[in-house]
Amino acid sequence: MTQIEIGRLLRAGTTGFVAGCRVSQFTVPAFGELVRAPLGDSYQVYGLIHDIHIDDDGLVRQLVTSENISDEVMKDNRERRIVPVEMAVLAIGYEQDGRIYHLLPPRPPLSLDVIYLCDDEDVARFTSVGRFGYFRHILGAKDLPIGEVMAAHLGQAARAHGKSGDQWKDKATHELITLLRDNYPTLMNVLGALSDVSV
Amino acid sequence: MPVNFQQIYARVKEIAEGANESKRILEERRNQARELLSFYAADLDYLRQKVEAAKAVDANIRCATPLKESLASFYPPPVSVTDATVIAADGSQVNPDRHAAIQFCIINVGVIAMRLSSGEAPLVTVETELLYGDDLLPNGNPLSDGMVAMRRDIHERIKLDEVSKDINGPVVNLTDGTIELWGAKGDDPQAYANFVEQYLGVLSRLHSRGVVTAGYVEKPSADLVVRLLEIATADEEQIRKLRDFHPLRGVSDRWLYGERDNPLLPPGHRSAVFGLQSGSEKKYKGALSLHFFYLNVGTVGHPWPVRIEIPRWVAEDPKKLDLLHCVLIEQCKMMGSRPYPYLLHRAHETALVRYEEKGQIEQLLVLELRRIRAEVGDGSHKSSAKSLKIRTTR
């Protein structure tokens, strides 16, 4: 299994956590991707990246007004200054002793725990368990751009499932329609976003 | 109780009423200063004689001494530099607090080195010194705030020397403020003398390696060129009472070189290089003697003259002077609308000890001392009372 480290934990709660990384590290993770935070003892928390945030500060604000920024200044700001890229992650499940649960994790990851990007094998494994139980965490997160997160996730997961990707996506879409049958605006929002996903 | 705004308001009115008259007087003096500058611009021998005469009466007099260039001369920025390493250092400190539970002092120095046009990220180093116990009583005297500041300054310079030692090619060292060590000599004369001796050693090493060394003085308040003009007009009697002779009081060098509508220095230009006549002349001798020039780092319509202090080995080498001039202009441009050398800002940012960091260090120290059952005092009741939350009135 290839382990792609994307950052370390800044702060966490039961429903989600925020990971930070230097801008120079910031090449791999993308919006909607599945990540995991291994905590030892065969326990790890899974989550979806739902926001990537880069804060400014006084110096950056001032630098943008200059005519040209040299490569050295650019690298200094990206690699040396302590302004991390923050990735907000929605907790959607956990793994204990090799078994995956689509429930909120019993305990969140701790400060500075390493966060890894899930590879195709991880994604396929996590999304194949049960009947899309983790969807309720996404659909229940009212402050999230649910349609966009769902579309990005379904795109990634369908690719991870390889040949059976289309079949998996169809099942996932049916499940979404069932779950959102009483919430027409959200359903339209999600289906609209999904229509833009190409496998 | 809040501020007594009635008293403040009355005083503000008084100030505003007097402002018109002050403005007229200042305008007259400014015109006079401009005229004097034009009149004496090329009369360098005469000016040097007057400075010598003033020095004979008061060796501590502070003013500019003209070298070879006309007072009103200015020079454009040289072509861009590609091969040089710029190093900036800055420091911050936490002074010992006798009201705290435990007395300690922190000196933090940040150094940043950038190889121009290398495409590489700069090298950043931080060195933190924690002073405790007997460290706070050097030579038996309690470490004053002034001595802490001086210790910080000397640390900055030593770090610059260390970092620049292993660098090939031209090197420019920058510090914020004067290159002359400033401090309260009276607090601990022995320590002051040691610091100056150490500093002169650092400067000598930088000189031997040909490192361009400069101090960047933002919003300079010393009016060294204006003082030179005053001395130029002084007769013998006035020279004898020079400390009371200020016919151009209120006119600043910043105004002279950076008048908003008609600056003597166009954007990016530097002034003539001057010698710095001061009481420190006895310490900073030969190649280490102090010089300066003004540099307009601003833009058209927004002049911003700053004073750049340099030692003689830089002042007398046109290549070094051009390199410094160019580096400073490029560094200031990096900061956009508020020009200031980028690396000096970064050095400051690196060196800054934040309030919460101070608290963390204090906590670490207290925990470790308690662990070995050493005696740890309590904070004063006064400081405890001051930190109480205040009820604010609307």
Side-chain angles (χ1 to χ4, degrees), chain B residues 83-186:
Chain B
D83 177 29
T85 303
V86 185
I87 312 173
D90 201 12
S92 70
Q93 74 276 10
V94 173
N95 292 322
D97 177 7
R98 69 183 188 84
H99 290 284
I102 194 163
Q103 283 208 49
F104 65 97
C105 168
I106 303 162
I107 292 173
N108 202 41
V109 172
V111 180
I112 179 161
M114 181 190 271
R115 266 191 62 202
L116 302 179
S117 314
S118 65
E120 295 167 7
L123 181 79
V124 182
T125 47
V126 184
E127 196 166 280
T128 310
E129 190 187 21
L130 175 64
L131 303 177
Y132 178 76
D134 289 345
D135 302 335
L136 304 177
L137 294 163
N139 305 316
N141 302 316
L143 194 63
S144 67
D145 293 359
M147 290 319 282
V148 173
M150 187 163 271
R151 206 175 168 116
R152 177 205 61 204
D153 289 349
I154 191 74
H155 275 53
E156 286 173 16
R157 271 68 168 192
I158 289 171
K159 277 307 280 180
L160 277 177
D161 179 32
E162 282 173 16
V163 173
S164 64
K165 209 157 46 187
D166 304 321
I167 293 172
N168 296 320
V171 177
V172 177
N173 275 358
L174 299 177
T175 45
D176 186 44
T178 64
I179 54 166
E180 179 184 356
L181 264 197
W182 274 95
K185 300 164 199 177

Side-chain angles (χ1 to χ4, degrees), chain B residues 180-308:
Chain B
E180 179 184 356
L181 264 197
W182 274 95
K185 300 164 199 177
D187 289 350
D188 186 345
Q190 182 57 48
Y192 176 77
N194 291 344
F195 284 142
V196 171
E197 198 178 324
Q198 247 183 314
Y199 181 44
L200 293 175
V202 169
L203 281 179
S204 299
R205 288 196 291 279
L206 293 172
H207 169 223
S208 67
R209 295 202 305 276
V211 173
V212 178
T213 301
Y216 184 95
V217 186
E218 170 99 348
K219 282 193 88 175
S221 58
D223 299 320
L224 302 165
V225 176
V226 170
R227 191 67 176 138
L228 172 68
L229 297 175
E230 286 181 336
I231 291 170
T233 61
D235 60 26
E236 277 185 31
E237 181 58 26
Q238 287 160 335
I239 288 273
R240 272 198 293 277
K241 294 177 179 169
L242 212 49
R243 297 229 166 209
D244 303 321
F245 181 68
H246 292 284
L248 301 176
R249 193 187 289 278
V251 185
S252 64
D253 283 5
R254 282 191 78 222
W255 175 85
L256 201 58
Y257 285 100
E259 184 190 354
R260 198 179 175 90
D261 300 323
N262 181 25
L264 200 59
L265 297 176
H269 287 54
R270 75 159 173 87
S271 72
V273 176
F274 298 93
L276 175 59
Q277 160 54 41
S278 78
S280 302
E281 215 184 22
K282 288 165 246 155
K283 297 187 199 90
Y284 301 86
K285 289 183 226 158
L288 312 189
S289 62
L290 306 173
H291 291 67
F292 71 93
F293 60 86
Y294 284 98
L295 178 66
N296 181 2
V297 297
T299 51
V300 177
H302 298 280
W304 196 260
V306 296
R307 193 172 78 235
I308 308 299

Side-chain angles (χ1 to χ4, degrees), chain A residues 62 72 76-77 80-81, chain B residues 119 122 335 338 342 346 349:
Chain A
Q62 199 166 330
E72 298 85 56
D76 181 37
N77 275 271
R80 300 285 189 256
R81 298 188 69 235
Chain B
M335 293 290 277
R338 291 185 176 271
Y342 173 78
R346 287 285 290 115
E349 198 178 66

Side-chain angles (χ1 to χ4, degrees), chain A residues 57-77 79-82, chain B residues 112 114-124 333-340 342-343 345-346 349:
Chain A
D57 69 353
L59 180 58
V60 172
R61 276 167 186 257
Q62 199 166 330
L63 288 175
V64 294
T65 67
S66 71
E67 281 168 17
N68 46 34
I69 298 172
S70 69
D71 290 348
E72 298 85 56
V73 171
M74 198 95 93
K75 283 203 168 170
D76 181 37
N77 275 271
E79 297 176 22
R80 300 285 189 256
R81 298 188 69 235
I82 311 167
Chain B
I112 179 161
M114 181 190 271
R115 266 191 62 202
L116 302 179
S117 314
S118 65
E120 295 167 7
L123 181 79
V124 182
K333 271 188 185 162
M334 287 177 190
M335 293 290 277
S337 54
R338 291 185 176 271
Y340 181 76
Y342 173 78
L343 286 178
H345 173 75
R346 287 285 290 115
E349 198 178 66

